[in-house]
Amino acid sequence: GFASADERPKPSQPKPAQSQSDHPSLQYDRWSGSINVPDPVAISVDHRGRVFVTQTRRRKIQDLDIRENRDWIANDIGLQSIEDKKSFYHSRLAIGGDQAVQSKHVTDVNGDGEHDWRDLTVIGEVIYRLSDEDGDGKADEIIVFDDDFKTEVTGIAAGVMAWGDDVYATIAPDLWRLTDINDDGVADTREVIATGFGLHIAYAGHDMHGLTMGPDGKVYWSIGDKGINVTSQSGRHYFYPNQGGVMRCNPDGTDFEVFAHGLRNVQEIAFDQYGNLFGVDNDADQQDEHERFVAIVDGMDAGWRSHYQFRGDKYNPWTNENLWRLPGDEHPAYIVPPIEHYVDGPAGFKFNPGTALGPAYENYFFLTSAPNGNQYAFQVEPVGDSFRMLNNHLIGKGPAIVGLAFGPDGALYGADWDGGYPLDQKGAVIRIDVEKSMRHPLRQQVAATLAKGVDESSIADLTDQLSHHDMRIRQAAQFELANRGNTEVFQTILKADDSSTLAKLHAVWGLGQLSRAGNQSVNGSIQAALKDASAHVRGQAAKTWGESNVDDGSVLIPLLSDDDLHVRVNAALALARHPSPHATGELLEAAGNLSVDQHYLRHSIVSALAACASSPDLVAKQSSDNEMQRLCCVLALRRQASPAVAEYLDDPSDWVATAAARAIHDDLSIAEAMPALAAALSTDASHSEAFWRRSINANYRLGTAECFDRVLAFASRTNARAEVRIDACNAVANWLQPPVLDRVEGRRRDLPNDHRAIDAP
């Protein structure tokens, strides 16, 4: 990934421990040798050791940055699609338009004497292939693999992944699949397999990146907060216009979905050996705010909205409501909060596949802090329903590495973009490794196996490889067995008492691939794995069941009370995909038993309740004496966008009532419930600032004379906090001239003026 200028080092940032004596030092070597690799952003190494690197040439000149076009902020926030963005450029940078104005936004790149949108279509992003042809440990060849990426709405080439015969590239608004058929280092076929990413100008560097192959055989990648508006190949619409997220699809682009949202700018993502997905999200440079280490799970909302970036000294939910912080009392419950705060400018992020570097770095994640040239390593272990970071330490300092990839030789490769933010047409590929004496003993075997491939491997060899120490070899064997339609190997491994946990996991994932491809005969084996002795296997079996070609969620219900909380999380998330009304009672009971700090489990139960329970079922719990149960019902009603959530506005718990107010007011809002939120301003209840501001704004958005009187009366209340009374006064003062950006969130709403009134007719 490519670090944005907003991710500069901050003196208040948490500092990880310094290099630990029980870890071997890492050696940094310029693998690209004398070859210049200009302005590299992302890196991938294929199984033959060839390195693919992207270069951004459009940044600054053609991929515009909203910080340099601040007069467009209100317009940019309101863009809802790639078509909106293109139309905006064509309007504001029109052919024959006002050159004095347009020259402030775009350079005359094409040299035609005009400053217009056509100047955004000249320079293309580049993907290079580098190789070490003579085997001396240094690159001696660089080839332009592809460089035809240059429409007026094209972003930067911020992600690349070599996989088999294909190279995937994330260049907003598109996910590309490129193929070099004749192996000459140049793409022969090119196909967009998903599109609709990057709706906003926003901050440069908040692009698409993080390509990785998941254990389920799906391509995963991330996008910064430039937004998502995608219609999948099957016709399903995904609309998160002001959020970043993680997406996934099959290698051919089918089965696309948004896996997680509400992220700001997770540059790269990584799976551990058990199928858990992690990332480190960049902060927004707000006062005392920090970057966030997150476990990324199905359907999660991490809380960030791009319009929070531009609130300035106005009320900002991100900071005023502590969305970025580690969770405390009555933390906003609709989001999954971060696990830890971490270092500034996180960019490259990878997990040791098992035999890379040396045994001392097994099960480690590696992260680059690009702006200050630091690199870190840490491990993760489960705790409760979540995870925690441990053995966190600095491993290197110096090069500004923005992307990471493990090579088949066991070394860690980095894209070094040569220092500061201004592009200088320089860069390199860095090879990071331990001393030879400290290297993993299986590295040469792994390199030879990966280079050979699996096309001609026997079933016996593939079976053995499912237990291999290296995740890449296990995964290749799994995918090949699934590609051959072999069910027997997977089923035999799951039945055998002496099978390793890792082999069983790959068997489960392989059966999931077959199930999604239409093989119904494997579903019984997946179901049987729900009772495996290993919690890792049970949890991934539940996840796989939820994503498989079945329609029965009832088999997951017993796992809602599993001894392992991660199994419960996966089971409830799977129920959300295969809802069963019979699960409603169990889910409500599970909700009532939640601890305040079980954020992942709460998210999963809410997801399942939203899918399994009817709105009347959820409203019926408003008389429950269990606060957590009522809270989960509110959050589930929010997921359903049900107006019935208004029934909880007078809940005795302000935490619950405020959750209802947020559900009605925020994001796309629940219009039918807005009058109830407005009316709540007249109650004598004691509420948080977050509640009152939304209630005031509900009246403001409705704009009637009755609403005006209600807000005016609230401004006179002596028992209300000064901040919200001042907010009410401001609403009254600007009643007839509403701003285009929402008074609470900063989202663009464009309230009409024709119905607004102060006096009743």
Side-chain angles (χ1 to χ4, degrees), residues 122 124 240-241 344 362 369 384 395 403 426 484 498 543 546 564 607 685:
V122 180
Y240 299 95
D344 61 280
E362 208 169 323
S369 174
I395 61 171
K426 297 178 181 179
R484 297 185 191 183
D498 59 349
K543 183 175 184 293
D564 186 277
S607 300

Side-chain angles (χ1 to χ4, degrees), residues 355 357-359 362 436 438-446:
T355 64
L357 303 177
E362 208 169 323
K436 287 186 178 181
M438 306 294 290
R439 293 177 184 175
H440 199 288
L442 294 178
R443 280 177 51 166
Q444 287 187 331
Q445 179 214 87
V446 168

Side-chain angles (χ1 to χ4, degrees), residues 663-683:
I664 295 166
H665 177 280
D666 292 358
D667 293 330
L668 300 180
S669 305
I670 303 176
E672 300 92 329
M674 199 66 70
L677 178 58
L681 195 63
S682 299
T683 66

Side-chain angles (χ1 to χ4, degrees), residues 322-346:
N322 297 321
L323 296 176
W324 67 271
R325 291 186 181 275
L326 301 183
D329 292 341
E330 299 196 356
H331 196 268
Y334 68 96
I335 72 169
V336 177
I339 297 171
E340 298 274 1
H341 288 147
Y342 204 43
V343 297
D344 61 280

Side-chain angles (χ1 to χ4, degrees), residues 166-228:
D166 297 319
V167 172
Y168 292 85
T170 49
I171 311 173
D174 307 310
L175 170 63
W176 291 87
R177 183 172 67 172
L178 313 164
T179 308
D180 175 11
I181 297 173
N182 57 10
D183 201 28
D184 64 351
V186 179
D188 298 303
T189 64
R190 55 204 321 267
E191 176 189 9
V192 173
I193 60 174
T195 189
F197 310 95
L199 324 179
H200 304 293
I201 302 168
Y203 279 22
H206 288 212
D207 292 275
M208 285 211 296
H209 22 48
L211 282 160
T212 190
M213 182 62 71
D216 50 8
K218 291 179 179 286
V219 178
Y220 286 73
W221 72 101
S222 61
I223 189 170
D225 59 1
K226 291 190 174 186
I228 304 164

Side-chain angles (χ1 to χ4, degrees), residues 363-375:
N363 301 324
Y364 268 86
F365 289 90
F366 297 84
L367 178 81
T368 71
S369 174
N372 55 26
N374 290 346
Q375 297 85 44

